[in-house]
Amino acid sequence: MTDLLSRALRVIPSGCNTFSKSRAQWPANAPSHLGRGRGGHVWDAQQREYIDFTLGLGPIILGYKDPEVEHSVRLALDDGPIFSMPYQLEVAIAEMLTEVIPCAEMVKFGLNGSDATTAAVRCARAHTGRDVIRSHGYHGWSDTFSPNTAGIPQATRALTEQIDLGDDMWDAVDRNVAAVIIEPDNFSPGMLRRLRENCDRAGALLIFDEVLTGFRIALGGYQEYSGVTPDLATFSKAMGNGYPISAVVGKREYMQTFERIGFSGTFLGSTPGLAATGAVIRKMRAEPVIARLWEHGNTIKSVFTECAKESGIDAELTGLAPRLVFRFKGDTDVDPIIRDRPARLAWRTLFAQSLIERGILANFGFTFAYAHSDSDIERACEAIRDAFEVLANVDKPEDALIGEAASPGLRAA
Ligand SMILES: Cc1ncc(COP(=O)(O)O)c(C=O)c1O
């Protein structure tokens, strides 16, 4: 155990502030802490360099310390970090979001994804006068959504019904439902259209949680990609290239409900996140950022798929190219927090362990940044080839793991 990790465990519960960054999510040879990032690369406390394909869990879309973003943030910080009245940039950035996101007629800013999803469902409940929320996917840590239910009253939990894609009930929307909130990339455009119609029929709002897909699958999110427009949508992660910011956006008739609900906070509208978002949008409009993310993802996916086939290992990369997720079929990928069952992610952990030995950080899959160079991608492809060779030469992944297998993430498949 590193010195930093043992100090962290003394003063921070679990030694970590974000579940998905914790030791339990990484192989034992991963650095316990990172100290610096530039472009698509990061350095640990011992100055070891890695090509990063986890990217802070998604916010880094252009690259660490993108020059235009940093310049805009410096200018904003020169103005001041926060004010006693709205910052002038709030208006311009809200206007920009209404230009690039299909459903966005009005905008409310938050600081993280959980702010936005929690505010969106409160808006839907206030608008419809109904309490029940139907949900698919991960939407943050609030009482309405947290998969870890410890400390959340049963009465609150009962109001959030999980949608199961495994049966054909996923689109049944009753008239007591205030909103259906989903991670839209788990649904085909056809399923989304059906959900759209069923929500309209039941008078429920359709909310796309685009915290992961926004600015990544397309600038305007999965709604731009699929052509299906929700009533409300939530954006965060990539919109600030790492600076804290989120937004609930949507149709005017629903967004006006924000005038009478209690969504507010001292730090909402603080200057760095707004300035960063402006710079991200300008760059994404001017340069082929999205095309490059897709190109990187398609290259990695084809090498991974070819290696899996050649080595006879039952593995795939799922999801859309800008963010790909590992599935190793020998693993039991069941979330113990949600379903209270032991999980085994040994193949995935061994794969990530092998990548880390080759200077590649990727624990649950590959997320891409515009700053990843062709040679970064080529190095990742070589590491994938080597990792499959390691996997092909063991009977049981546990035999080659240097520590425990990682535990599953919070997100349902
Ligand atoms: C789809 C989705 N929604 C909401 C959240 C919550 O965002 P945050 O962790 O910034 O509160 C996440 C975080 O991973 C997410 O992936």
Side-chain angles (χ1 to χ4, degrees), residues 104-129:
E105 292 171 4
M106 295 185 90
V107 178
K108 279 288 276 189
F109 289 110
L111 284 176
N112 57 48
S114 300
D115 279 353
T117 54
T118 307
V121 295
R122 188 177 294 177
C123 171
R125 282 172 162 157
H127 180 82
T128 58

PDB file of all heavy atoms in Angstrom, residues 104-129:
ATOM      1  N   ALA A 104     -33.571  21.872 -25.992  1.00  0.00           N
ATOM      2  CA  ALA A 104     -33.273  22.975 -25.052  1.00  0.00           C
ATOM      3  C   ALA A 104     -33.876  24.293 -25.521  1.00  0.00           C
ATOM      4  O   ALA A 104     -33.390  24.912 -26.465  1.00  0.00           O
ATOM      5  CB  ALA A 104     -31.762  23.117 -24.879  1.00  0.00           C
ATOM      6  N   GLU A 105     -34.956  24.710 -24.827  1.00  0.00           N
ATOM      7  CA  GLU A 105     -35.473  26.066 -25.028  1.00  0.00           C
ATOM      8  C   GLU A 105     -35.094  26.958 -23.846  1.00  0.00           C
ATOM      9  O   GLU A 105     -34.998  28.164 -23.987  1.00  0.00           O
ATOM     10  CB  GLU A 105     -36.997  26.025 -25.193  1.00  0.00           C
ATOM     11  CG  GLU A 105     -37.416  25.335 -26.494  1.00  0.00           C
ATOM     12  CD  GLU A 105     -38.913  25.093 -26.591  1.00  0.00           C
ATOM     13  OE1 GLU A 105     -39.674  25.526 -25.691  1.00  0.00           O
ATOM     14  OE2 GLU A 105     -39.330  24.453 -27.565  1.00  0.00           O
ATOM     15  N   MET A 106     -34.923  26.306 -22.683  1.00  0.00           N
ATOM     16  CA  MET A 106     -34.462  27.042 -21.491  1.00  0.00           C
ATOM     17  C   MET A 106     -33.466  26.163 -20.738  1.00  0.00           C
ATOM     18  O   MET A 106     -33.422  24.940 -20.944  1.00  0.00           O
ATOM     19  CB  MET A 106     -35.634  27.397 -20.574  1.00  0.00           C
ATOM     20  CG  MET A 106     -36.620  28.369 -21.188  1.00  0.00           C
ATOM     21  SD  MET A 106     -37.896  28.863 -20.003  1.00  0.00           S
ATOM     22  CE  MET A 106     -37.147  30.289 -19.243  1.00  0.00           C
ATOM     23  N   VAL A 107     -32.697  26.788 -19.858  1.00  0.00           N
ATOM     24  CA  VAL A 107     -31.569  26.103 -19.210  1.00  0.00           C
ATOM     25  C   VAL A 107     -31.498  26.491 -17.734  1.00  0.00           C
ATOM     26  O   VAL A 107     -31.672  27.661 -17.398  1.00  0.00           O
ATOM     27  CB  VAL A 107     -30.237  26.549 -19.880  1.00  0.00           C
ATOM     28  CG1 VAL A 107     -29.037  25.900 -19.200  1.00  0.00           C
ATOM     29  CG2 VAL A 107     -30.247  26.261 -21.376  1.00  0.00           C
ATOM     30  N   LYS A 108     -31.243  25.509 -16.857  1.00  0.00           N
ATOM     31  CA  LYS A 108     -30.862  25.798 -15.465  1.00  0.00           C
ATOM     32  C   LYS A 108     -29.522  25.125 -15.217  1.00  0.00           C
ATOM     33  O   LYS A 108     -29.340  23.935 -15.521  1.00  0.00           O
ATOM     34  CB  LYS A 108     -31.881  25.193 -14.486  1.00  0.00           C
ATOM     35  CG  LYS A 108     -33.128  25.999 -14.288  1.00  0.00           C
ATOM     36  CD  LYS A 108     -32.940  27.275 -13.492  1.00  0.00           C
ATOM     37  CE  LYS A 108     -32.987  27.061 -11.998  1.00  0.00           C
ATOM     38  NZ  LYS A 108     -33.020  28.346 -11.251  1.00  0.00           N
ATOM     39  N   PHE A 109     -28.578  25.852 -14.648  1.00  0.00           N
ATOM     40  CA  PHE A 109     -27.251  25.280 -14.416  1.00  0.00           C
ATOM     41  C   PHE A 109     -27.147  24.644 -13.035  1.00  0.00           C
ATOM     42  O   PHE A 109     -27.722  25.150 -12.057  1.00  0.00           O
ATOM     43  CB  PHE A 109     -26.176  26.364 -14.537  1.00  0.00           C
ATOM     44  CG  PHE A 109     -25.972  26.826 -15.953  1.00  0.00           C
ATOM     45  CD1 PHE A 109     -26.365  28.093 -16.355  1.00  0.00           C
ATOM     46  CD2 PHE A 109     -25.396  25.974 -16.890  1.00  0.00           C
ATOM     47  CE1 PHE A 109     -26.189  28.514 -17.668  1.00  0.00           C
ATOM     48  CE2 PHE A 109     -25.220  26.388 -18.206  1.00  0.00           C
ATOM     49  CZ  PHE A 109     -25.616  27.663 -18.596  1.00  0.00           C
ATOM     50  N   GLY A 110     -26.383  23.568 -12.955  1.00  0.00           N
ATOM     51  CA  GLY A 110     -25.997  22.951 -11.685  1.00  0.00           C
ATOM     52  C   GLY A 110     -24.496  22.768 -11.685  1.00  0.00           C
ATOM     53  O   GLY A 110     -23.787  23.362 -12.524  1.00  0.00           O
ATOM     54  N   LEU A 111     -23.993  21.959 -10.766  1.00  0.00           N
ATOM     55  CA  LEU A 111     -22.542  21.762 -10.682  1.00  0.00           C
ATOM     56  C   LEU A 111     -22.112  20.337 -10.958  1.00  0.00           C
ATOM     57  O   LEU A 111     -20.940  20.080 -11.201  1.00  0.00           O
ATOM     58  CB  LEU A 111     -22.034  22.166  -9.297  1.00  0.00           C
ATOM     59  CG  LEU A 111     -21.946  23.670  -9.061  1.00  0.00           C
ATOM     60  CD1 LEU A 111     -21.535  23.942  -7.627  1.00  0.00           C
ATOM     61  CD2 LEU A 111     -20.955  24.323 -10.017  1.00  0.00           C
ATOM     62  N   ASN A 112     -23.048  19.391 -10.876  1.00  0.00           N
ATOM     63  CA  ASN A 112     -22.694  17.996 -11.178  1.00  0.00           C
ATOM     64  C   ASN A 112     -23.929  17.280 -11.701  1.00  0.00           C
ATOM     65  O   ASN A 112     -25.033  17.845 -11.702  1.00  0.00           O
ATOM     66  CB  ASN A 112     -22.126  17.302  -9.932  1.00  0.00           C
ATOM     67  CG  ASN A 112     -23.092  17.361  -8.770  1.00  0.00           C
ATOM     68  OD1 ASN A 112     -24.270  17.061  -8.925  1.00  0.00           O
ATOM     69  ND2 ASN A 112     -22.610  17.765  -7.617  1.00  0.00           N
ATOM     70  N   GLY A 113     -23.719  16.042 -12.124  1.00  0.00           N
ATOM     71  CA  GLY A 113     -24.810  15.302 -12.744  1.00  0.00           C
ATOM     72  C   GLY A 113     -25.975  15.071 -11.793  1.00  0.00           C
ATOM     73  O   GLY A 113     -27.142  15.155 -12.191  1.00  0.00           O
ATOM     74  N   SER A 114     -25.663  14.775 -10.518  1.00  0.00           N
ATOM     75  CA  SER A 114     -26.738  14.491  -9.554  1.00  0.00           C
ATOM     76  C   SER A 114     -27.625  15.713  -9.328  1.00  0.00           C
ATOM     77  O   SER A 114     -28.845  15.574  -9.173  1.00  0.00           O
ATOM     78  CB  SER A 114     -26.143  14.030  -8.216  1.00  0.00           C
ATOM     79  OG  SER A 114     -25.389  12.863  -8.397  1.00  0.00           O
ATOM     80  N   ASP A 115     -27.030  16.895  -9.304  1.00  0.00           N
ATOM     81  CA  ASP A 115     -27.831  18.132  -9.229  1.00  0.00           C
ATOM     82  C   ASP A 115     -28.878  18.143 -10.342  1.00  0.00           C
ATOM     83  O   ASP A 115     -30.058  18.434 -10.130  1.00  0.00           O
ATOM     84  CB  ASP A 115     -26.965  19.378  -9.543  1.00  0.00           C
ATOM     85  CG  ASP A 115     -26.135  19.869  -8.379  1.00  0.00           C
ATOM     86  OD1 ASP A 115     -26.302  19.341  -7.280  1.00  0.00           O
ATOM     87  OD2 ASP A 115     -25.325  20.803  -8.607  1.00  0.00           O
ATOM     88  N   ALA A 116     -28.383  17.865 -11.542  1.00  0.00           N
ATOM     89  CA  ALA A 116     -29.239  18.033 -12.722  1.00  0.00           C
ATOM     90  C   ALA A 116     -30.353  16.988 -12.758  1.00  0.00           C
ATOM     91  O   ALA A 116     -31.517  17.326 -13.002  1.00  0.00           O
ATOM     92  CB  ALA A 116     -28.383  17.960 -13.991  1.00  0.00           C
ATOM     93  N   THR A 117     -30.016  15.711 -12.474  1.00  0.00           N
ATOM     94  CA  THR A 117     -31.048  14.665 -12.564  1.00  0.00           C
ATOM     95  C   THR A 117     -32.085  14.849 -11.452  1.00  0.00           C
ATOM     96  O   THR A 117     -33.278  14.661 -11.677  1.00  0.00           O
ATOM     97  CB  THR A 117     -30.420  13.262 -12.477  1.00  0.00           C
ATOM     98  OG1 THR A 117     -29.619  13.180 -11.291  1.00  0.00           O
ATOM     99  CG2 THR A 117     -29.564  12.957 -13.694  1.00  0.00           C
ATOM    100  N   THR A 118     -31.607  15.238 -10.269  1.00  0.00           N
ATOM    101  CA  THR A 118     -32.533  15.415  -9.144  1.00  0.00           C
ATOM    102  C   THR A 118     -33.465  16.602  -9.411  1.00  0.00           C
ATOM    103  O   THR A 118     -34.674  16.546  -9.147  1.00  0.00           O
ATOM    104  CB  THR A 118     -31.732  15.623  -7.831  1.00  0.00           C
ATOM    105  OG1 THR A 118     -30.814  14.541  -7.715  1.00  0.00           O
ATOM    106  CG2 THR A 118     -32.628  15.648  -6.621  1.00  0.00           C
ATOM    107  N   ALA A 119     -32.901  17.661  -9.958  1.00  0.00           N
ATOM    108  CA  ALA A 119     -33.717  18.833 -10.283  1.00  0.00           C
ATOM    109  C   ALA A 119     -34.717  18.501 -11.392  1.00  0.00           C
ATOM    110  O   ALA A 119     -35.875  18.940 -11.354  1.00  0.00           O
ATOM    111  CB  ALA A 119     -32.814  19.986 -10.716  1.00  0.00           C
ATOM    112  N   ALA A 120     -34.285  17.714 -12.367  1.00  0.00           N
ATOM    113  CA  ALA A 120     -35.177  17.391 -13.494  1.00  0.00           C
ATOM    114  C   ALA A 120     -36.399  16.613 -13.016  1.00  0.00           C
ATOM    115  O   ALA A 120     -37.531  16.904 -13.424  1.00  0.00           O
ATOM    116  CB  ALA A 120     -34.413  16.604 -14.558  1.00  0.00           C
ATOM    117  N   VAL A 121     -36.181  15.615 -12.121  1.00  0.00           N
ATOM    118  CA  VAL A 121     -37.357  14.850 -11.684  1.00  0.00           C
ATOM    119  C   VAL A 121     -38.231  15.687 -10.743  1.00  0.00           C
ATOM    120  O   VAL A 121     -39.447  15.532 -10.733  1.00  0.00           O
ATOM    121  CB  VAL A 121     -37.010  13.484 -11.039  1.00  0.00           C
ATOM    122  CG1 VAL A 121     -36.363  12.558 -12.041  1.00  0.00           C
ATOM    123  CG2 VAL A 121     -36.177  13.629  -9.804  1.00  0.00           C
ATOM    124  N   ARG A 122     -37.620  16.597  -9.982  1.00  0.00           N
ATOM    125  CA  ARG A 122     -38.472  17.451  -9.131  1.00  0.00           C
ATOM    126  C   ARG A 122     -39.351  18.347 -10.010  1.00  0.00           C
ATOM    127  O   ARG A 122     -40.527  18.564  -9.741  1.00  0.00           O
ATOM    128  CB  ARG A 122     -37.639  18.297  -8.176  1.00  0.00           C
ATOM    129  CG  ARG A 122     -38.559  18.998  -7.189  1.00  0.00           C
ATOM    130  CD  ARG A 122     -37.850  19.797  -6.155  1.00  0.00           C
ATOM    131  NE  ARG A 122     -37.062  18.986  -5.244  1.00  0.00           N
ATOM    132  CZ  ARG A 122     -36.307  19.512  -4.272  1.00  0.00           C
ATOM    133  NH1 ARG A 122     -36.262  20.815  -4.102  1.00  0.00           N
ATOM    134  NH2 ARG A 122     -35.609  18.733  -3.485  1.00  0.00           N
ATOM    135  N   CYS A 123     -38.762  18.829 -11.077  1.00  0.00           N
ATOM    136  CA  CYS A 123     -39.518  19.652 -12.023  1.00  0.00           C
ATOM    137  C   CYS A 123     -40.684  18.845 -12.600  1.00  0.00           C
ATOM    138  O   CYS A 123     -41.816  19.327 -12.669  1.00  0.00           O
ATOM    139  CB  CYS A 123     -38.558  20.121 -13.130  1.00  0.00           C
ATOM    140  SG  CYS A 123     -39.358  20.934 -14.501  1.00  0.00           S
ATOM    141  N   ALA A 124     -40.398  17.591 -12.976  1.00  0.00           N
ATOM    142  CA  ALA A 124     -41.449  16.745 -13.571  1.00  0.00           C
ATOM    143  C   ALA A 124     -42.553  16.468 -12.551  1.00  0.00           C
ATOM    144  O   ALA A 124     -43.745  16.490 -12.877  1.00  0.00           O
ATOM    145  CB  ALA A 124     -40.836  15.432 -14.066  1.00  0.00           C
ATOM    146  N   ARG A 125     -42.161  16.216 -11.299  1.00  0.00           N
ATOM    147  CA  ARG A 125     -43.172  15.945 -10.260  1.00  0.00           C
ATOM    148  C   ARG A 125     -44.031  17.185 -10.017  1.00  0.00           C
ATOM    149  O   ARG A 125     -45.255  17.090  -9.893  1.00  0.00           O
ATOM    150  CB  ARG A 125     -42.477  15.516  -8.957  1.00  0.00           C
ATOM    151  CG  ARG A 125     -42.008  14.070  -9.002  1.00  0.00           C
ATOM    152  CD  ARG A 125     -41.151  13.729  -7.802  1.00  0.00           C
ATOM    153  NE  ARG A 125     -41.065  12.281  -7.621  1.00  0.00           N
ATOM    154  CZ  ARG A 125     -40.078  11.668  -6.976  1.00  0.00           C
ATOM    155  NH1 ARG A 125     -39.092  12.372  -6.453  1.00  0.00           N
ATOM    156  NH2 ARG A 125     -40.071  10.355  -6.863  1.00  0.00           N
ATOM    157  N   ALA A 126     -43.386  18.335  -9.953  1.00  0.00           N
ATOM    158  CA  ALA A 126     -44.148  19.569  -9.709  1.00  0.00           C
ATOM    159  C   ALA A 126     -45.070  19.856 -10.889  1.00  0.00           C
ATOM    160  O   ALA A 126     -46.220  20.279 -10.714  1.00  0.00           O
ATOM    161  CB  ALA A 126     -43.188  20.737  -9.491  1.00  0.00           C
ATOM    162  N   HIS A 127     -44.595  19.621 -12.095  1.00  0.00           N
ATOM    163  CA  HIS A 127     -45.399  19.924 -13.277  1.00  0.00           C
ATOM    164  C   HIS A 127     -46.611  19.007 -13.384  1.00  0.00           C
ATOM    165  O   HIS A 127     -47.710  19.453 -13.719  1.00  0.00           O
ATOM    166  CB  HIS A 127     -44.550  19.809 -14.543  1.00  0.00           C
ATOM    167  CG  HIS A 127     -45.329  20.113 -15.781  1.00  0.00           C
ATOM    168  ND1 HIS A 127     -45.559  21.414 -16.206  1.00  0.00           N
ATOM    169  CD2 HIS A 127     -45.990  19.304 -16.655  1.00  0.00           C
ATOM    170  CE1 HIS A 127     -46.302  21.380 -17.301  1.00  0.00           C
ATOM    171  NE2 HIS A 127     -46.579  20.112 -17.589  1.00  0.00           N
ATOM    172  N   THR A 128     -46.405  17.695 -13.111  1.00  0.00           N
ATOM    173  CA  THR A 128     -47.501  16.734 -13.320  1.00  0.00           C
ATOM    174  C   THR A 128     -48.353  16.542 -12.074  1.00  0.00           C
ATOM    175  O   THR A 128     -49.459  15.991 -12.161  1.00  0.00           O
ATOM    176  CB  THR A 128     -46.933  15.350 -13.715  1.00  0.00           C
ATOM    177  OG1 THR A 128     -46.049  14.924 -12.661  1.00  0.00           O
ATOM    178  CG2 THR A 128     -46.181  15.397 -15.033  1.00  0.00           C
ATOM    179  N   GLY A 129     -47.814  16.900 -10.895  1.00  0.00           N
ATOM    180  CA  GLY A 129     -48.524  16.609  -9.647  1.00  0.00           C
ATOM    181  C   GLY A 129     -48.488  15.124  -9.307  1.00  0.00           C
ATOM    182  O   GLY A 129     -49.277  14.642  -8.493  1.00  0.00           O
TER     183      GLY A 129
END
